[in-house]
Amino acid sequence: MNWLAFAAVAWVFLGLEKGLRDALELGSTGASPSFVFGLLTFIAISAQSTTALWAAIALGLAMDLVFNVPLQGGAGTVNIPGPHALAYVLGTQFILSLRGVMVRRNPLSMGFLALVGFLVCSATLLAIFTTKATLGVPIEWDATRKLLEGLGSSLYTGVLATLLGLVLIPLAPFLGLPSHQQRRFGRRA
């Protein structure tokens, strides 16, 4: 993979995530799509396993830097490095385990894998932050609301990733990823 091209595309997707997340929120439910996880799903489908996991760590740490956790009593916000990175690695590992049975260059496959991968991420983040809140870290955290928000965001991310697949699949050569489906058993004579 071309890491410089990946950094440029990741920067754009991080900007889309930060800029459009609130605008695309479904009412007051808190459910909004993740552009960054859509990109990560494409990388996980196309790249080698180790490359996909390093991309997950990089994108997860970037999300940790822009994800503000509110403190109790309106005392401000805090950035906690690590939770998104761990969640993205687990979500990517789940996608890697499923990609062998999927048609890799199909936007619908990308949408499905983004949906289930983001479910894993949401569950991981829910477990991490609920544990932190239970252990007395003074963060504002409502586990029930975040559970419903994660379910809605997973569905929304799956729909968005299907649409992003139409843009990202042609960009595969720019990112240094294989641009065609590789055959398992060779050519027919």
Side-chain angles (χ1 to χ4, degrees):
M1 182 163 81
N2 182 347
W3 287 100
L4 188 59
F6 168 74
V9 172
W11 182 261
V12 169
F13 274 70
L14 195 61
L16 289 171
E17 178 96 14
K18 190 70 174 161
L20 295 178
R21 190 170 181 93
D22 293 337
L24 294 177
E25 183 178 333
L26 293 176
S28 62
T29 62
S32 56
S34 176
F35 288 89
V36 173
F37 197 81
L39 173 63
L40 181 58
T41 301
F42 176 70
I43 299 297
I45 289 172
S46 304
Q48 294 179 355
S49 301
T50 55
T51 303
L53 291 172
W54 280 112
I57 291 170
L59 290 173
L61 286 174
M63 284 299 294
D64 282 327
L65 294 176
V66 299
F67 181 72
N68 297 321
V69 180
L71 295 173
Q72 290 178 345
T77 60
V78 66
N79 295 78
I80 304 172
H84 279 89
L86 178 62
Y88 277 26
V89 166
L90 292 176
T92 300
Q93 189 60 48
F94 191 73
I95 291 171
L96 290 172
S97 68
L98 291 177
R99 77 177 181 178
V101 295
M102 304 297 285
V103 177
R104 292 186 185 189
R105 297 292 175 204
N106 188 338
L108 294 175
S109 296
M110 189 168 149
F112 173 75
L113 290 174
L115 186 150
V116 297
F118 201 71
L119 273 174
V120 171
C121 285
S122 296
T124 304
L125 288 171
L126 181 69
I128 290 170
F129 285 115
T130 302
T131 303
K132 283 184 177 292
T134 303
L135 293 176
V137 176
I139 58 174
E140 190 73 35
W141 190 259
D142 180 10
T144 305
R145 177 172 165 75
K146 293 297 182 178
L147 173 65
L148 296 174
E149 188 178 305
L151 291 172
S153 294
S154 297
L155 290 171
Y156 205 173
T157 299
V159 171
L160 177 71
T162 302
L163 298 174
L164 287 176
L166 299 172
V167 175
L168 290 172
I169 290 172
L171 281 179
F174 173 71
L175 292 169
L177 298 170
S179 61
H180 62 280
Q181 181 85 20
Q182 296 182 2
R183 294 181 169 267
R184 292 186 182 190
F185 302 109
R187 294 183 176 246
R188 288 187 150 161

